[in-house]
Amino acid sequence: MKALARWIALALLAACALEVFFIARIALAATMDPQSTSFQRSEAFRIARDKGHLRWAQDWLPYPRISDNLKRAVIASEDDSFANHDGVDWEALEKAWERNQKAEDRAAKQQAHPRPNAPAKPPRPIKIVGGSTITQQLAKNLLLSGERTLLRKGQEIILTFALEKMMSKERIFEIYLNSVEWGEGVFGAEAAARHYFRKGAAQLTAYEAARLAVMLPRPKYFEKLPASGYLAARANVIVARMRAAELP
């Protein structure tokens, strides 16, 4: 029992030390532009491992130099209540948890009642749907791994509240727009604008900004499909919503 108690105490100490590290990183990022995020480093390693070269395009822009068109488009597409929530959109999160539960129930039924004569396969991991706000996405990309589990989601929410307490909305959005992925090895608004439209992020039109915003959930997928009908149609919808988007 003493050995078990010792291991539990060490685990709790390690967890506390990790939280202190995360909080220190957030405090530093509140005043200094982060050189890279956890997600960027993992992507750079993956590209170097799989393709034998490093691809990393990123140019930091101060918040005022990023087109308001892009700011409005991202808010309209990703998180229309960004300026007003406390970091978490609880209604969206509840809906996401409901979808996750339904997915788990379907997987359990399929495992309990497999199709006749179907080859045995290991159960596929459940994809955890996030319902994430911009602040949650930044917490995940800045500090956490890419795994999608409920435990990591809980850690993400804790760090989301820390971001909201220690940074202004404008600073959160500035870091997000400068670090979010917009293609394989393409990070941030300036790199994305130059990669797709051969212009700076300050010169983006409303439609160009909307196309970039629509790409965000699946940037590497849409990078390969520049003529996607869905991308064009969805961008038009976002353009119509942009005027109502509230900037921080």
Side-chain angles (χ1 to χ4, degrees):
M1 289 298 292
K2 289 184 178 180
L4 178 60
R6 190 180 302 116
W7 279 110
I8 292 174
L10 288 173
L12 291 174
L13 183 62
C16 291
L18 184 62
E19 294 303 317
V20 170
F21 170 76
F22 285 152
I23 295 301
R25 283 286 309 276
I26 292 172
L28 188 63
T31 56
M32 295 180 62
D33 301 337
Q35 296 298 307
S36 65
T37 67
S38 177
F39 177 79
Q40 288 172 336
R41 292 189 294 273
S42 66
E43 274 296 290
F45 175 78
R46 181 191 63 78
I47 294 170
R49 180 196 63 203
D50 294 347
K51 301 191 175 181
H53 67 273
L54 179 64
R55 180 181 177 185
W56 187 324
Q58 182 182 24
D59 295 292
W60 189 280
L61 279 186
Y63 187 78
R65 291 180 56 194
I66 301 173
S67 167
D68 281 355
N69 283 330
L70 185 59
K71 296 169 188 172
R72 293 184 185 280
V74 170
I75 287 175
S77 180
E78 292 289 290
D79 184 3
D80 59 6
S81 60
F82 172 68
N84 300 301
H85 62 56
D86 61 358
V88 178
D89 185 335
W90 295 105
E91 183 177 351
L93 193 60
E94 183 179 357
K95 291 178 180 178
W97 280 343
E98 289 174 358
R99 291 196 295 271
N100 292 332
Q101 187 58 57
K102 290 178 181 177
E104 290 177 357
D105 292 343
R106 285 195 301 270
K109 288 179 181 179
Q110 291 172 359
Q111 191 172 359
H113 305 286
R115 289 181 300 171
N117 303 320
K121 294 181 181 179
R124 297 175 64 181
I126 301 299
K127 181 180 179 180
I128 304 299
V129 179
S132 296
T133 64
I134 285 171
T135 314
Q136 286 176 265
Q137 291 179 48
L138 179 60
K140 176 184 68 176
N141 292 339
L142 185 64
L143 299 165
L144 301 175
S145 69
E147 64 179 344
R148 303 179 75 121
T149 64
L150 291 176
L151 180 61
R152 203 233 58 195
K153 194 69 180 178
Q155 176 68 81
E156 175 189 302
I157 291 175
I158 293 172
L159 295 176
T160 293
F161 289 139
L163 282 166
E164 290 278 342
K165 289 292 185 183
M166 300 174 71
M167 294 185 188
S168 67
K169 288 282 188 178
E170 183 175 305
R171 180 58 174 169
I172 289 170
F173 204 23
E174 180 183 30
I175 297 174
Y176 176 88
L177 290 172
N178 276 290
S179 60
V180 71
E181 181 186 42
W182 252 302
E184 186 169 67
V186 180
F187 301 103
E190 181 71 5
R194 296 199 176 279
H195 180 66
Y196 294 107
F197 301 112
R198 303 295 185 265
K199 62 173 66 173
Q203 286 80 44
L204 290 171
T205 67
Y207 181 74
E208 290 166 346
R211 281 184 67 94
L212 289 180
V214 174
M215 292 179 68
L216 283 175
R218 304 175 67 189
K220 290 193 283 287
Y221 172 81
F222 285 118
E223 183 181 23
K224 299 174 183 177
L225 296 172
S228 164
Y230 170 82
L231 189 62
R234 182 65 180 168
N236 284 323
V237 172
I238 296 304
V239 168
R241 294 180 179 176
M242 285 168 56
R243 189 171 297 178
E246 182 179 352
L247 298 183

